[in-house]
Amino acid sequence: MKKKLLFIGLCTLTLAQLGCKKVNPVEGVEQVIDATFTKTSVSYQFVDANTGAQLGLDGNTEISVSITGPNASDVVDNFGGNQVGADYGMMAVALRQGVTPSTTNQVQFTIHASANGYLPVSRSTVILQEGHQHMIVQMINTSDAPVGVKIAEDVITGVPSTGVVSNTFTLSPGASSVSGTTATVTIPSGTKLMDKNSVACTGNLTATVSYSNPNEEGFHQVFPGDAFKSQLSTGGYVSFKSMGIVGTDIKNITNGCEVKK
């Protein structure tokens, strides 16, 4: 970071008079700030998917971020450290020194963001050249979802230390206003709920199920891109007819244990 700061003040004192002349302290001053130490950076702006408002500007919405993917170890903060995180709805990352992206050396990673009251979201990033990218990340408020998204929440109570649920749990969002369709998620009794490290999640677990139909109004504003085809590793494409998108998240709000298995 480069800074050039100059503050000027002039005060005169004579036998005849006592006075101070005010001078603009930044007049003619040059300030140069180089925010990143590498030539490749990405900034993420987290916004409410329904209102478009940037999250956390009031400092009350804490966004937790993790990074995975083939090049996750190459992603650092703007000063080359490991303090990657979001403040006031913004996050900036850079590539560590020595990593030069190109069409033959693609840099790929995925950010995962979560915030209380919002559905978790993942955003994949592919970097093909040096420079800066800015990405808008929409997060869906579970109590104020956009048109086209139906959400239901309930609590799986009293999960024992084994992590095994004793009763069948079922959760279904409301029906789509256009198609009348919905989805139902059922967790049979005897299912063991574990985090990514195979540690049992216990206690009262909040389950959130979201459902969206591609025929619903506003679907592509919430889920940008083409939901009907996917690129193969060979470079070609395969087409699908999507009947709906269902997401299930189960988490202990108190201790943060998140079910992954």
Side-chain angles (χ1 to χ4, degrees):
M1 180 175 286
K2 302 176 182 178
K3 293 184 178 178
K4 297 179 181 178
L5 298 177
L6 180 62
F7 296 95
I8 302 175
L10 178 62
C11 186
T12 61
L13 177 64
T14 67
L15 294 176
Q17 62 180 11
L18 177 64
C20 290
K21 180 181 179 181
K22 294 181 179 180
V23 178
N24 185 350
V26 295
E27 184 177 356
V29 176
E30 178 185 8
Q31 182 175 3
V32 180
I33 298 177
D34 183 2
T36 62
F37 72 100
T38 68
K39 296 180 180 179
T40 308
S41 60
V42 186
S43 59
Y44 300 89
Q45 182 179 5
F46 299 92
V47 303
D48 186 293
N50 194 30
T51 65
Q54 184 170 321
L55 301 181
L57 287 178
D58 56 1
N60 294 328
T61 303
E62 182 177 350
I63 303 173
S64 299
V65 178
S66 62
I67 301 176
T68 62
N71 300 103
S73 61
D74 294 327
V75 180
V76 295
D77 62 35
N78 274 345
F79 302 101
N82 297 317
Q83 303 301 315
V84 176
D87 292 314
Y88 299 98
M90 293 290 295
M91 181 179 77
V93 300
L95 299 184
R96 64 177 176 82
Q97 290 182 326
V99 178
T100 303
S102 67
T103 54
T104 57
N105 184 38
Q106 300 181 10
V107 175
Q108 303 179 44
F109 58 91
T110 301
I111 66 163
H112 309 275
S114 61
N116 287 338
Y118 286 84
L119 296 180
V121 64
S122 298
R123 175 59 62 88
S124 297
T125 302
V126 179
I127 304 177
L128 304 179
Q129 61 185 10
E130 292 181 334
H132 178 75
Q133 296 185 47
H134 180 69
M135 305 182 73
I136 304 294
V137 181
Q138 295 183 329
M139 299 189 71
I140 296 176
N141 190 324
T142 56
S143 61
D144 187 25
V147 173
V149 180
K150 301 295 182 180
I151 298 175
E153 278 191 338
D154 202 351
V155 177
I156 307 174
T157 59
V159 179
S161 58
T162 58
V164 178
V165 296
S166 56
N167 298 304
T168 298
F169 178 84
T170 301
L171 190 58
S172 179
S176 163
S177 60
V178 172
S179 62
T181 58
T182 187
T184 298
V185 173
T186 299
I187 301 175
S189 62
T191 302
K192 186 174 183 179
L193 305 178
M194 300 173 287
D195 68 8
K196 63 181 180 180
N197 298 316
S198 299
V199 176
C201 287
T202 63
N204 296 328
L205 307 181
T206 299
T208 305
V209 174
S210 57
Y211 170 76
S212 186
N213 189 312
N215 295 319
E216 192 79 45
E217 180 184 357
F219 173 86
H220 292 287
Q221 278 69 49
V222 181
F223 298 100
D226 191 342
F228 304 104
K229 66 181 180 182
S230 180
Q231 187 172 17
L232 302 174
S233 59
T234 56
Y237 288 86
V238 59
S239 296
F240 295 92
K241 183 177 182 181
S242 178
M243 304 304 294
I245 294 178
V246 182
T248 305
D249 299 287
I250 304 174
K251 183 177 182 179
N252 186 315
I253 301 300
T254 303
N255 61 25
C257 187
E258 188 171 359
V259 176
K260 294 294 185 181
K261 299 181 180 179

